[in-house]
Amino acid sequence: DEDLRGDDNASHIADDAKNGLMNAFLSGSLATDYIILAPQCPRGTTWTENNNLYLSLLLDLVQNHIMQLPIDADRILIGGISMGATAGYELIGLQVNDGMIPISAAYLVAGTTDFTITNDLEAKVFETTKVYAFLSENDTVTPPDSVRALADLVNTKYEDVQDFTYAVYPELGHEIWHQAFAEQALMDAFLATNAPAPEVPTVPVE
């Protein structure tokens, strides 16, 4: 979120109201299955400034973690609110390029996007990325129109892609994260995206 930018790599995770998604990872039944990376956008800039400089650094950071830790590269989930959600849409768009770390699911609250689908190659992004988007009809900071247009295009024009789920709250303005994090069914579905199958105990053969 724009208000949580900084240079201490800590203050952005101290606001429980805005970190409902991270808290859901920590407290959910699948909590032990996750490694959480919570990057902080530097003060005075945005994730997408300077030709996506900070998003590129973020992707390098994720790639380094994948190489150093027991992370399943096919189970990468992202989430963000406001500026962070806008960055999330940009990351989804960047998957069109070869070599991009695949994103299994995204939980994006009160963001906006300029990513549009113009061909089948771009649409293929949503074959593997499940999107949960949350918008407010009267949000003047990140108006809902661009995300709603992208969702409607994905859901109606392309048959082989994942569902692009989005909820539009009628009159809550920009600060909708409380409601979005309280959508328990959607949160549970997001957290369980590509969850590993439970281990079946082996029965010794006599």
Side-chain angles (χ1 to χ4, degrees):
D1 176 67
E2 187 174 73
D3 293 336
L4 302 181
R5 293 175 294 180
D7 306 303
D8 59 6
N9 203 33
S11 59
H12 65 306
I13 61 174
D15 188 330
D16 281 344
K18 292 184 176 181
N19 277 294
L21 183 59
M22 188 173 69
N23 292 336
F25 277 113
L26 292 170
S27 62
S29 61
L30 299 173
T32 56
D33 291 332
Y34 293 110
I35 293 174
I36 300 174
L37 182 64
Q40 184 177 40
C41 187
R43 195 183 313 278
T45 186
T46 70
W47 288 112
T48 55
E49 282 185 10
N50 299 320
N51 197 29
N52 289 328
L53 169 63
Y54 291 107
L55 285 185
S56 297
L57 293 173
L58 171 59
L59 291 174
D60 289 343
L61 185 65
V62 173
Q63 188 62 62
N64 288 336
H65 279 69
I66 289 175
M67 291 187 295
Q68 297 174 19
L69 298 172
I71 294 175
D72 184 350
D74 293 325
R75 296 177 58 215
I76 303 295
L77 311 182
I78 65 170
I81 64 175
S82 194
M83 183 186 70
T86 297
Y89 291 114
E90 187 69 21
L91 284 174
I92 293 171
L94 289 174
Q95 289 183 101
V96 174
N97 301 318
D98 291 338
M100 167 64 190
I101 297 168
I103 298 169
S104 293
Y107 206 89
L108 304 175
V109 182
T112 187
T113 182
D114 59 5
F115 176 50
T116 56
I117 297 175
T118 60
N119 56 57
D120 290 342
L121 176 62
E122 292 172 348
K124 285 180 70 65
V125 166
F126 295 97
E127 289 182 2
T128 54
T129 301
K130 176 86 171 177
V131 179
Y132 300 87
F134 301 87
L135 314 167
S136 178
E137 199 67 67
N138 63 342
D139 187 343
T140 59
V141 179
T142 53
D145 294 347
S146 62
V147 173
R148 179 162 43 199
L150 177 61
D152 290 343
L153 182 61
V154 169
N155 289 333
T156 58
K157 185 173 182 180
Y158 297 95
E159 298 179 356
D160 298 327
V161 302
Q162 295 288 320
D163 288 337
F164 194 130
T165 301
Y166 70 99
V168 182
Y169 304 109
E171 298 179 352
L172 296 181
H174 183 58
E175 298 186 0
I176 60 173
W177 31 89
H178 298 85
Q179 286 74 19
F181 296 148
E183 298 283 359
Q184 197 59 53
L186 297 178
M187 180 72 76
D188 289 345
F190 168 74
L191 294 176
T193 302
N194 292 346
E199 294 185 6
V200 178
T202 58
V203 179
V205 177
E206 295 183 356

